[in-house]
């Protein structure tokens, strides 16, 4: 593994200020006393405002008031707002990507990919704005029509994590807006500048198309700000992305007020590699899924379950690939692995590796910190590969860092059991050229995850498919497919045009 030179704090701040201004952020208006830091160097960035309880309450009130107007705007006209937003995102793709890199530490290609994901969901949402359709069902009564219609919910609260600091919000916001809702967003404390930049582009789109003011708000606050969205009865739907621990706290509170909930939680993702797999393809898929974004994707590959007949060969090739990874400045073209988000992530990784060794694991490569002399407050690490004798508790728990645990199996049933033997259920993959194995993996008796792939890694979901997982991942679905329904409420309608009043099921009441 090779380490690359790091930028200076001055370089990052200069690029950040230029990019924020290009996105339309009023720097004087957002300045405050809440410090932000860049994981690239650990150096301070622009300090931002800190919204208090009354300010957040006012945001929710404004969003609720705007909803009363926005819900009556025809859906295709609502789509025009999202279309304009996509145009601005396209125009300022590099600017927003720079902010994402400065705050989340993503390499440039991944940051640009995140903005492209935002553009893609806007494209999907614009099309969806003309297809918010319900069904018409046959009525058992003559002269009656039975149908369903779909209606906006109200204020949608979004709580997002640092690792996709803009894309996940856009998944929710693009669909929420075309469905007739308004949005209040509480981003991660580690990504508030990204949120302000992304929201500024949406604000420009609102002005350009003459949409109502108050459709969207950004909450700059610590945990209490998110809790306010969780508990406020005016927030009709809460979409929360984060840890399983967070989900277990949020879910009963929203349910207790009969609010709607969309959860995207942990993902301890696994991949099975069968004897028939194309190993060249497998190595490429595994290395990106496990080491990309420094292992800080919810879809990052964390468990590799390999047939015993090819395990040594495949592991040797993966270890060799890991040794070539360039680690360092994510703004440099040649860098493949940027920093962890903070010290806590690094310490969590070290604790997991220590436990893996205690459980009999063999760390084959990686795990060490690099570039500490260049940036004492930044945490760059070598992605690790660990050969494990069994799926121990440390393997069953998600560690949000680049650790790939490798285990072996002898028959496909054992592989499926190992794969499903964790509490999380987000993304999964099988590498095989055996059609029967591929079909079994995709069947109801195969992967128990919300995403199941064949001959592709666990990372890199496309906008067209619904994104989400099962078990402790929360059961939510965002992005494509019919996930728009989460942002609307159905109503069943019966229209009687018969001139008579027959009752259903033949009931007589005189």
């Amino acid at each position: 593994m090779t380490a690359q030179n790091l930028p200076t704090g001055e370089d990052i701040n200069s690029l950040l200020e230029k990019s924020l201004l290009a996105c339309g952020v009023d720097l004087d208006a957002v300045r405050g006393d809440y410090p932000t830091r860049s994981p690239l160097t650990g150096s301070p960035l622009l300090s931002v405002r800190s919204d208090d309880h009354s300010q957040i309450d006012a945001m929710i009130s404004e969003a609720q008031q705007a909803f009363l107007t926005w819900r009556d705007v025809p859906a295709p006209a609502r789509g025009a707002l999202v279309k304009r937003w996509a145009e601005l995102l396209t125009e300022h793709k590099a600017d927003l990507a720079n902010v994402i890199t400065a705050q989340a530490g993503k390499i440039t290609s991944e940051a640009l990919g995140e903005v492209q994901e935002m553009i893609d969901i806007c494209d999907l949402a614009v099309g969806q704005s003309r297809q918010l359709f319900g069904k018409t069902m046959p009525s058992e009564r003559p002269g009656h029509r039975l149908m369903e219609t779909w209606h906006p919910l109200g204020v949608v609260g979004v709580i997002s994590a640092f690792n996709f600091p803009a894309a996940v919000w856009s998944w929710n916001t693009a669909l929420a807006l075309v469905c007739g809702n308004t949005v209040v967003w509480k981003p991660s404390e580690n990504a508030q500048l990204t949120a302000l930049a992304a929201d500024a582009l949406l604000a420009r789109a609102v002005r350009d198309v003459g949409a109502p003011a108050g459709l969207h708000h950004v909450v700059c606050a610590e945990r209490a700000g998110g809790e306010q969205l969780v508990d406020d009865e005016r927030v009709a739907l809460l979409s929360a992305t984060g840890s399983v621990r967070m989900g277990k706290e949020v879910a009963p509170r929203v349910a207790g007020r009969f609010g709607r909930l969309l959860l995207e939680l942990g993902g301890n993702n696994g991949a099975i590699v069968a004897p028939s797999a194309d190993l060249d393809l497998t190595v490429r898929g595994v290395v990106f899924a496990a080491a990309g974004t420094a292992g800080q994707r919810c879809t990052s590959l964390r468990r590799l379950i390999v047939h015993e007949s090819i395990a040594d060969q495949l592991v040797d090739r993966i270890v060799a690939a890991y040794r070539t990874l360039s680690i360092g400045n994510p703004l440099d073209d040649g860098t493949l692995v940027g920093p962890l988000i903070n010290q806590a992530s690094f310490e969590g990784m070290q604790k997991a590796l220590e436990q893996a060794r205690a459980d009999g694991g063999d760390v084959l490569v990686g795990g060490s910190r690099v570039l500490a002399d260049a940036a004492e407050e930044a945490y760059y690490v070598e992605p690790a590969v660990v050969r494990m004798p069994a799926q121990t508790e440390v393997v069953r728990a998600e560690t949000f860092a680049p650790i790939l645990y490798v285990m072996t199996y002898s028959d496909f049933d054992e592989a499926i059991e190992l794969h499903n033997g964790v509490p999380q259920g987000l993304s999964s993959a099988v590498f095989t050229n055996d059609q029967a194995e591929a079909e079994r993996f995709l069947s109801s008796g195969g992967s128990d995850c919300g995403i199941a792939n064949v001959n592709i890694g666990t990372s890199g979901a496309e906008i067209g498919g619904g994104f989400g997982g099962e078990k402790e991942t929360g059961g939510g679905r965002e992005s494509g497919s019919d996930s728009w329904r989460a942002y609307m409420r159905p109503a069943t309608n019966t229209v009687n045009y018969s001139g008579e009043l027959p009752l259903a099921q033949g009931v007589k009441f005189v």
Side-chain angles (χ1 to χ4, degrees), residues 242-276:
S243 66
V244 172
R245 175 198 55 76
M246 181 269 286
K248 288 182 177 180
E249 293 180 11
V250 165
R253 290 165 66 169
V254 175
R257 61 176 179 85
F258 295 100
R260 296 186 179 220
L261 193 62
L262 198 166
L263 291 176
E264 298 287 357
L265 308 176
N268 192 0
N269 311 294
I272 297 170
V273 185
S276 64

Side-chain angles (χ1 to χ4, degrees), residues 24-290:
V25 177
D26 183 341
L27 296 182
D28 291 333
V30 302
R31 290 185 194 276
D33 56 5
Y34 191 91
T36 61
R37 305 185 74 82
S38 174
L40 277 66
T41 60
S43 58
L45 300 174
L46 175 73
S47 293
V48 299
R49 70 174 196 253
S50 182
D51 297 318
D52 61 24
H53 188 279
S54 63
Q55 290 168 320
I56 299 170
D57 182 76
M59 292 180 194
I60 299 171
S61 295
E62 289 175 12
Q64 176 63 26
Q65 191 63 36
F67 166 69
L68 301 179
T69 300
W70 187 241
R71 66 183 178 184
D72 292 329
V73 174
R78 300 193 297 250
L81 166 60
V82 177
K83 181 179 180 180
R84 178 58 184 147
W85 183 25
E87 293 170 350
L88 291 170
L89 286 169
T90 302
E91 180 182 346
H92 295 281
K93 183 176 180 178
D95 298 315
L96 185 53
N98 286 336
V99 183
I100 291 171
T101 294
Q103 276 222 291
K106 288 189 174 184
I107 63 173
T108 298
S109 67
E110 290 195 63
L112 288 168
E114 176 162 355
V115 183
Q116 185 60 50
E117 200 167 324
M118 301 173 74
I119 297 166
D120 292 346
I121 190 61
C122 286
D123 286 347
L124 184 144
V126 171
Q128 192 70 66
S129 69
R130 294 183 179 271
Q131 300 184 76
L132 302 175
F133 45 77
K135 299 175 182 177
T136 298
M137 293 76 73
S139 173
E140 66 186 58
R141 291 170 284 186
H144 286 63
R145 178 157 58 93
L146 185 62
M147 63 181 183
E148 66 179 18
T149 52
W150 290 82
H151 306 281
L153 293 174
V155 179
V156 173
V158 178
I159 298 175
S160 61
F162 79 87
N163 59 330
F164 278 85
V168 171
W169 164 71
S170 73
W171 294 355
N172 285 276
T173 301
L175 288 175
L177 288 174
V178 300
C179 289
N181 304 292
T182 56
V183 178
V184 180
W185 177 23
K186 162 60 177 70
S188 165
E189 295 94 310
N190 293 310
Q192 292 175 336
L193 293 172
T194 301
L196 292 167
D199 189 67
L201 292 172
L202 178 55
R204 290 171 67 179
V206 167
R207 293 192 298 271
D208 288 351
V209 303
L215 288 180
H216 60 104
H217 296 272
V218 172
V219 172
C220 292
E222 295 187 313
R223 173 174 172 163
E227 291 179 336
Q228 195 167 339
L229 296 182
V230 169
D231 295 330
D232 197 304
E233 293 187 354
R234 294 169 296 178
V235 176
L237 168 67
L238 183 80
S239 176
T241 301
S243 66
V244 172
R245 175 198 55 76
M246 181 269 286
K248 288 182 177 180
E249 293 180 11
V250 165
R253 290 165 66 169
V254 175
R257 61 176 179 85
F258 295 100
R260 296 186 179 220
L261 193 62
L262 198 166
L263 291 176
E264 298 287 357
L265 308 176
N268 192 0
N269 311 294
I272 297 170
V273 185
S276 64
D278 178 334
L279 294 190
D280 289 336
L281 182 149
T282 301
V283 169
R284 294 199 302 272
V286 165
V287 172
F288 169 69

